[in-house]
Amino acid sequence: MAFDIDMIKKVYASMATRVDAARKIVGKPLTLSEKILYSHLWDGTPNKAFTRGKDYVDFAPDRVACQDATAQMALLQFMHAGKPKVAVPTTVHCDHLIQAKVGAAADLRRANETSNEVFDFLESVSNKYGIGFWKPGAGIIHQVVLENYAFPGGMMIGTDSHTVNAGGLGMVAIGVGGADAVDVMAGMPWELKFPKLIGVKLTGKLSGWTAPKDVILKVAGILTVKGGTGAIIEYFGEGATSMSCTGKGTICNMGAEVGATTSTFGYDESMDRYLRSTERADVADAANEIKSYLTADSEVYANPEKYFDQVIEINLSELEPHLNGPFTPDLATPISKMAKAAKENNWPIKVEYGLIGSCTNSSYEDISRAASLAKQVSDKKLKTKANFTITPGSEQVRYTIERDGFIDTFNKIGATVFANACGPCIGMWDRYGGNAEDQDKNTIVHSFNRNFAKRADGNPNTLAFVGSPELVTAIAIAGRLDFNPLTDTLINEDGEQVKLEEPRGYELPPEGFAVEDAGFIAPANDGSGIEVKVATDSERLQLLEPFAPWDGKNISGAKLLIKAFGKCTTDHISMAGPWLRYRGHLDNIANNTLIGAVNAFNQQTNFVKNQLTGEYAGVPDTQRAYKAAGIPSVVVGDHNYGEGSSREHAAMQPRHLGVKAVLVKSFARIHETNLKKQGMLALTFANENDYDLIQEDDTFNFTDLENFAPDKPLTIEIVHVDGSKDIIKANHTYNESQIKWFKAGSALNLIASQNA
Ligand code: MIC
Ligand code: SF4
């Protein structure tokens, strides 16, 4: 039986009335995304149509998911909300804090020793507030959610950008910062700008070497890392229904890489099969009763241009396997063009590592198809040239693939099986024995989703390419980036030319899934007596102090902390890897603030001018000097600032250190909200060329912040070192209630005062 089946039945019970009401009000057939959004309004049955991309709307999500690296800050904040229990079903998953080094058992043991303080904290907070807890080793949040909690037509939020994975089971699942999760856990409405809608029509059928991953690699090439911002991507067509549910999950998962609010697919038979196979026949039966409400109205998919803001069409029968990278997930190269691209760009051809698995690509189907290639290594007398690793997404998948002999097959090609955790995907990979910075230029291929500089192994000179698990396995066997398994041959031990046969696998385990200990710990019924302890001298955890409210005055005399050049993702603002250990300690993690951002004036990282001394130093030290002197500061950035993760640390750290405003050409959605929630000014240049006016010794004076109001740009006077001035306009997207967060010092301050 499924978890929280009563909640799911309740959602379904009101779905028809709400969707029918929405259709009347909107006055036309509805997409699936609209059906889910309109049936999850905080105010219940819809009585007003919303303008996409414009109206802020209050929603009532059905559930919340958190992972260990973000849950610490989310729960530290929740503890201030003054509530005895979470208001909606919520889970915490321990997956990010497990370092991959030698292999699953030893790595898990080490994580339990080194991070026990954090795991104990998360377990006791979960127990106290009625939150389901998935212990270290249970699996990666998104895979565990897909296997246990996701349901067609539901709405959830999660403190991780890849929460969107649950779109594979027909949900609207959205990644958010911890402060947003606190709203929902505290029983309050959750606000989102009503998204725009992008329709992706999939014609044809996947076959041979092409996998679901290639669909999203192609979409990333089309939309780029910011093309999906503020939009839900809805996939449909014969190519969608003929694909597995977990394949759909892969596509939705990596939709985070185009900035999409989320991605989703209409309910179909693949979802019914997946639900039954994961022991949730009750959910499948309930979904089947309201089937037509769990997909778009038929007119929509027949004439998509009339209902979506943008439509993309991809013919799966013609789609080629792709590799995306390096350093950005939208640089898409079809495999037949890789040899040329690699040569032109001087990408090292030799592949050092092939890594499969992660939350994106570790379904039974993925693993069985990759194993069918690994098996050919001995059958065809080949030798695997690159190192090869697997990170299973959940204990259930790991147990089942071991039972079915796939782990054994991978072991025979010398694979390392890491713990069921994020590991190499988030820099928790001790590839170089702690010395990653000075390593050589090299190439790796993986089936994860992100490949920003330093992300996997900490080495700035590692070029990471993203591909399907099948392609990654074939390339690892060949050891060459320019190997095209569709056309190329390999030389075996007998000197013969052999060709790899197309991958084959199973959508779902023929013998069913199995697991001994899935790793779930249910919370206490009454947690009121449970005490949550945080040691005052802990270097891992620190209770939060509320941020100071706005003093009601214009900000003046603010110094430029850094003008970031080019790509500045949350990995650049608050790096992961070794820094993950400080995710529960704001002051300690603040020591990594913006250390990955490139200074536009010298093209160096972590080397900015301290305007008080004229000396150059690291960003955190410089900012701490401004803070000590009581001087405010401003961060300036380029397009899509804060792309990537949902980590609110990227907003809380600058706030904690005294930065007042972030002024950029454009923001990634989650980061912009995180800044607002933490009481910062998130601003965009009204004229993006004004970015070029900003000089190294600039001082910023806000002249009309006292009249901060929705839809009214702010004016900033920029004083240059020679005394000359530029007056510029900065746009913002704050509505009335968000301005209240700013005034209160943070959204949480406002909640706490309301519950006091
Ligand atoms: C990621 O993939 O970047 C992460 C690590 O899962 C993040 C969350 C985090 O920073 O803790 C994400 O995607 O939101
Ligand atoms: Fe973990 Fe990587 Fe998935 Fe993020 S993308 S949840 S780090 S496996």
Side-chain angles (χ1 to χ4, degrees):
M1 195 176 87
F3 286 97
D4 309 308
I5 185 72
D6 294 339
M7 175 271 280
I8 297 174
K9 287 192 170 152
K10 199 162 151 236
V11 172
Y12 286 176
S14 60
M15 194 110 187
T17 327
R18 292 183 177 194
V19 170
D20 291 341
R23 195 185 293 104
K24 238 191 219 137
I25 288 160
V26 175
K28 55 180 185 180
L30 297 176
T31 59
L32 167 64
S33 309
E34 287 166 303
K35 289 184 185 180
I36 301 179
L37 294 170
Y38 276 107
S39 59
H40 285 85
L41 299 179
W42 178 256
D43 292 334
T45 307
N47 54 22
K48 159 177 192 303
F50 298 105
T51 310
R52 299 177 191 167
K54 188 162 181 292
D55 289 340
Y56 280 103
V57 180
D58 281 343
F59 290 101
D62 303 316
R63 60 180 315 122
V64 176
C66 306
Q67 43 88 340
D68 52 1
T70 50
Q72 298 170 59
M73 215 39 104
L75 296 176
L76 284 164
Q77 292 177 80
F78 181 73
M79 286 161 66
H80 277 285
K83 299 282 177 185
K85 224 176 168 52
V86 285
V88 303
T90 300
T91 48
V92 165
H93 304 259
C94 296
D95 51 4
H96 283 63
L97 298 179
I98 302 163
Q99 191 186 45
K101 191 170 181 179
V102 279
D107 291 350
L108 192 57
R109 215 174 308 122
R110 203 160 17 89
N112 272 320
E113 278 160 21
T114 52
S115 289
N116 68 332
E117 182 187 358
V118 173
F119 296 143
D120 286 351
F121 167 75
L122 292 175
E123 188 176 338
S124 65
V125 182
S126 299
N127 201 9
K128 181 170 179 67
Y129 294 109
I131 299 171
F133 182 73
W134 290 79
K135 65 185 182 188
I140 310 175
I141 173 169
H142 312 303
Q143 183 61 34
V144 174
V145 165
L146 195 73
E147 285 172 12
N148 296 281
Y149 300 112
F151 65 99
M155 180 189 247
M156 73 176 246
I157 59 165
T159 59
D160 189 285
S161 65
H162 295 107
T163 301
V164 293
N165 187 65
L169 248 179
M171 278 197 120
V172 159
I174 301 180
V176 296
D180 280 43
V182 171
D183 290 348
V184 179
M185 293 191 288
M188 298 183 356
W190 174 66
E191 186 191 66
L192 177 76
K193 194 182 270 179
F194 203 87
K196 293 205 168 216
L197 301 176
I198 300 177
V200 179
K201 179 171 184 179
L202 302 178
T203 61
K205 198 168 183 257
L206 289 173
S207 66
W209 284 92
T210 312
K213 183 76 157 202
D214 297 305
V215 176
I216 185 61
L217 295 176
K218 173 87 184 169
V219 168
I222 297 171
L223 285 176
T224 79
V225 288
K226 58 181 181 22
T229 307
I232 296 186
I233 306 182
E234 185 169 325
Y235 291 85
F236 59 94
E238 53 178 352
T241 43
S242 60
M243 189 186 290
S244 66
C245 171
T246 50
K248 293 178 171 85
T250 295
I251 294 176
C252 293
N253 182 306
M254 209 181 148
E257 272 49 69
V258 300
T261 301
T262 191
S263 305
T264 194
F265 283 82
Y267 181 63
D268 64 17
E269 283 167 17
S270 72
M271 297 185 194
D272 175 286
R273 289 194 295 275
Y274 185 71
L275 284 168
R276 290 181 198 282
S277 167
T278 49
E279 316 259 304
R280 287 173 290 169
D282 45 357
V283 180
D285 291 340
N288 287 332
E289 278 177 32
I290 55 156
K291 233 182 197 164
S292 65
Y293 290 94
L294 302 175
T295 188
D297 292 337
S298 54
E299 298 90 326
V300 171
Y301 293 160
N303 289 300
E305 308 69 31
K306 280 172 70 182
Y307 303 96
F308 291 98
D309 299 292
Q310 181 183 352
V311 177
I312 295 171
E313 188 166 329
I314 299 175
N315 182 347
L316 301 190
S317 305
E318 289 168 3
L319 183 66
E320 243 194 271
H322 279 63
L323 278 178
N324 285 23
F327 303 123
T328 185
D330 57 354
L331 185 57
T333 308
I335 192 66
S336 63
K337 307 238 161 53
M338 190 39 120
K340 188 159 168 272
K343 210 174 197 175
E344 279 169 10
N345 292 290
N346 220 359
W347 297 331
I349 294 294
K350 179 167 182 256
V351 171
E352 306 284 339
Y353 270 91
L355 306 107
I356 65 164
S358 90
C359 68
T360 329
N361 267 117
S362 57
S363 64
Y364 190 85
E365 180 174 53
D366 289 334
I367 302 290
S368 61
R369 281 170 61 86
S372 78
L373 298 170
K375 190 166 172 305
Q376 295 176 44
V377 171
S378 59
D379 293 354
K380 295 187 190 285
K381 299 195 183 166
L382 288 161
K383 253 207 150 75
T384 306
K385 297 275 171 44
N387 298 297
F388 191 69
T389 75
I390 305 147
T391 37
S394 73
E395 175 58 11
Q396 173 159 279
V397 161
R398 194 210 61 77
Y399 189 95
T400 310
I401 61 172
E402 180 170 56
R403 180 200 65 192
D404 294 350
F406 300 136
I407 297 244
D408 208 35
T409 307
F410 289 126
N411 282 339
K412 288 198 181 112
I413 66 162
T416 305
V417 182
F418 288 139
N420 312 318
C422 302
C425 179
I426 187 53
M428 291 296 268
W429 179 25
D430 190 8
R431 179 177 173 193
Y432 297 110
N435 176 26
E437 284 286 338
D438 308 315
Q439 302 292 334
D440 293 341
K441 185 167 171 181
N442 76 103
T443 293
I444 64 173
V445 287
H446 63 58
S447 72
F448 314 154
N449 39 33
R450 292 198 172 135
N451 54 356
F452 306 137
K454 297 196 199 179
R455 177 165 169 105
D457 59 8
N459 174 6
N461 301 315
T462 294
L463 283 70
F465 294 84
V466 185
S468 68
E470 296 88 321
L471 191 63
V472 168
T473 308
I475 288 182
I477 293 170
R480 293 181 63 93
L481 185 64
D482 58 359
F483 176 66
N484 178 358
L486 282 82
T487 51
D488 298 352
T489 53
L490 296 166
I491 309 281
N492 74 4
E493 279 171 13
D494 298 341
E496 297 157 350
Q497 294 212 345
V498 294
K499 203 158 176 270
L500 290 175
E501 284 149 39
E502 286 176 356
R504 281 181 202 289
Y506 302 88
E507 178 185 282
L508 294 162
E511 316 272 304
F513 282 107
V515 68
E516 248 165 35
D517 174 10
F520 175 71
I521 300 174
N525 279 336
D526 174 6
S528 56
I530 295 165
E531 207 190 327
V532 177
K533 288 198 196 113
V534 173
T536 45
D537 61 348
S538 169
E539 60 154 18
R540 304 283 305 263
L541 295 164
Q542 181 187 41
L543 293 174
L544 291 171
E545 288 291 329
F547 292 128
W550 178 50
D551 62 6
K553 301 198 188 106
N554 279 319
I555 297 167
S556 60
K559 299 293 177 197
L560 175 72
L561 174 60
I562 183 171
K563 175 173 168 179
F565 172 82
K567 209 176 189 54
C568 191
T569 72
T570 46
D571 280 2
H572 297 77
I573 307 170
S574 174
M575 192 172 281
W579 289 94
L580 285 177
R581 63 184 281 106
Y582 299 120
R583 282 288 184 87
H585 196 296
L586 185 54
D587 195 50
N588 283 347
I589 198 161
N591 290 329
N592 81 0
T593 306
L594 284 155
I595 60 174
V598 176
N599 179 355
F601 301 107
N602 57 18
Q603 298 297 314
Q604 298 197 47
T605 53
N606 205 21
F607 201 58
V608 294
K609 186 166 181 181
N610 176 337
Q611 292 195 37
L612 304 178
T613 61
E615 311 268 303
Y616 284 80
V619 183
D621 286 349
T622 306
Q623 180 53 38
R624 283 194 195 270
Y626 292 147
K627 185 177 185 184
I631 294 175
S633 65
V634 171
V635 167
V636 169
D638 212 311
H639 273 300
N640 210 23
Y641 182 89
E643 159 188 357
S645 159
S646 67
R647 62 191 75 147
E648 63 197 325
H649 305 75
M652 293 178 92
Q653 295 171 214
R655 173 82 170 103
H656 170 69
L657 293 180
V659 177
K660 299 288 181 215
V662 179
L663 174 61
V664 300
K665 291 186 187 169
S666 63
F667 282 109
R669 175 189 62 88
I670 307 179
H671 187 61
E672 183 181 17
T673 309
N674 286 345
L675 287 168
K676 290 179 176 176
K677 287 245 145 157
Q678 301 300 338
M680 289 271 265
L681 285 175
L683 308 173
T684 52
F685 290 103
N687 171 4
E688 84 178 45
N689 296 331
D690 288 350
Y691 172 91
D692 300 327
L693 297 175
I694 311 296
Q695 297 169 25
E696 199 168 18
D697 292 282
D698 282 353
T699 300
F700 299 76
N701 299 316
F702 288 71
T703 57
D704 52 9
L705 187 61
E706 285 159 0
N707 307 318
F708 192 15
D711 301 318
K712 188 172 167 285
L714 292 170
T715 314
I716 309 175
E717 177 187 75
I718 302 167
V719 186
H720 306 298
V721 72
D722 62 1
S724 65
K725 289 179 183 168
D726 283 299
I727 312 264
I728 66 161
K729 290 279 179 203
N731 289 338
H732 68 81
T733 59
Y734 290 73
N735 60 22
E736 289 288 357
S737 49
Q738 295 170 345
I739 289 177
K740 287 193 191 132
W741 303 343
F742 170 74
K743 291 186 172 165
S746 72
L748 185 61
N749 286 355
L750 203 64
I751 304 181
S753 68
Q754 284 160 355
N755 286 330

